[in-house]
Amino acid sequence: MSEAVADLVHGPVRQGRVVAGTRLALYVTTGDPGRPAVALIHPDAVRVPNGILLPGAVPPRPRPGTPVVIGAGRVTVGPWCVRAEGSWAPPRAQGLLTGPVRADRCAELAHAAGPGGPELAGLRAALRADDPERIVGAGRALVGRGPGLTPSGDDVLCGALLARHAMGRPTGALAAAVRDAEARTPLVSAALLRHAVRGECIPQLACVLADVTSPSMLDARPLLAVGHHSGADLARGVVMGLAAVVSTCDCADRI
């Protein structure tokens, strides 16, 4: 279980409900404003920062709306119950950079992620200018943009938030842009945005952030393998966030 949600699972009993499910994860609400959802995840699933690791297969997928009980060290979904045993600390972007961001590593990540859509232009320009008002407006325009449980716009925003945390740059404008995300995007994605606001991320993204200061060539393949599009969108967000401090690199213009 992620330490980011351990107090919810071990705390007082609270009611939730199933909101979505996949082959490797089941997503349930918590009623907590800062951590609105947790994910019950298969051992092979990506270790999201709000994850609770299952001992084996995800149970037969219950319908959205199925009641859930969380607390006292367990999560109960209908007749099925998982006890929370053991924990891990989700990676935090803060402190991952061990030196200056290298323009060549940033360019490699941009090339690996590939070009994004024209909808990214506003946030790209706002981040490069480091203009808080423009960042809020451009960020809000991306919340919930795209299909799926984690729309592309949200994944890009997560990547940009985490890059800013890693560099020690202010994140207030991006945090303001996603403040009402629960009303504008699927709850699964809104929850991950909340964790990104705190600097919590998946291991694959943490590895990429650690590599952008390295003299060795960056390997983005594990990150790009995340989800149908999430890994590439997270990478694009990271590049956009990093480019604000890499004055010699036009890598953000390539996405």
Side-chain angles (χ1 to χ4, degrees):
M1 172 178 52
S2 168
E3 291 177 0
V5 296
D7 62 320
L8 293 179
V9 180
H10 289 292
V13 171
R14 59 178 65 225
Q15 305 297 315
R17 59 184 175 83
V18 172
V19 290
T22 68
R23 183 176 61 86
L24 295 178
L26 186 68
Y27 304 94
V28 303
T29 66
T30 66
D32 182 88
R35 293 158 299 177
V38 295
L40 307 178
I41 57 175
H42 184 277
D44 293 338
V46 175
R47 289 206 175 190
V48 288
N50 60 340
I52 300 170
L53 191 63
L54 298 171
V58 176
R61 196 177 303 173
R63 295 178 181 176
T66 298
V68 176
V69 180
I70 304 170
R74 66 185 69 184
V75 179
T76 303
V77 183
W80 180 82
C81 178
V82 59
R83 295 181 182 276
E85 298 178 355
S87 63
W88 77 86
R92 295 185 66 88
Q94 296 90 330
L96 285 176
L97 302 186
T98 57
V101 176
R102 292 178 58 106
D104 49 353
R105 298 293 85 81
C106 193
E108 288 166 9
L109 184 58
H111 177 76
E119 68 276 6
L120 300 183
L123 183 62
R124 180 170 58 234
L127 287 169
R128 186 179 290 281
D130 207 13
D131 183 324
E133 185 174 347
R134 290 171 63 190
I135 290 172
V136 173
R140 284 187 59 81
L142 286 178
V143 174
R145 187 155 185 166
L149 290 176
T150 61
S152 289
D154 297 351
D155 289 328
V156 168
L157 288 165
C158 280
L161 273 161
L162 293 162
R164 300 279 290 191
H165 275 300
M167 295 184 296
R169 306 277 287 197
T171 58
L174 282 170
V178 304
R179 186 167 292 139
D180 62 346
E182 289 84 353
R184 306 175 61 218
T185 197
L187 191 64
V188 171
S189 192
L192 294 176
L193 282 166
R194 292 279 163 263
H195 287 278
V197 166
R198 291 194 291 274
E200 296 160 351
C201 62
I202 59 175
Q204 294 88 338
L205 192 146
C207 289
V208 163
L209 284 172
D211 283 350
V212 296
T213 62
S214 170
S216 302
M217 191 169 181
L218 181 147
D219 183 5
R221 289 173 297 179
L223 176 59
L224 298 180
V226 172
H228 295 296
H229 60 77
S230 289
D233 288 323
L234 285 166
R236 293 181 186 108
V238 168
V239 170
M240 290 164 63
L242 294 177
V245 297
V246 187
S247 58
T248 61
C249 181
D250 65 351
C251 50
D253 297 332
R254 307 175 194 178
I255 59 170

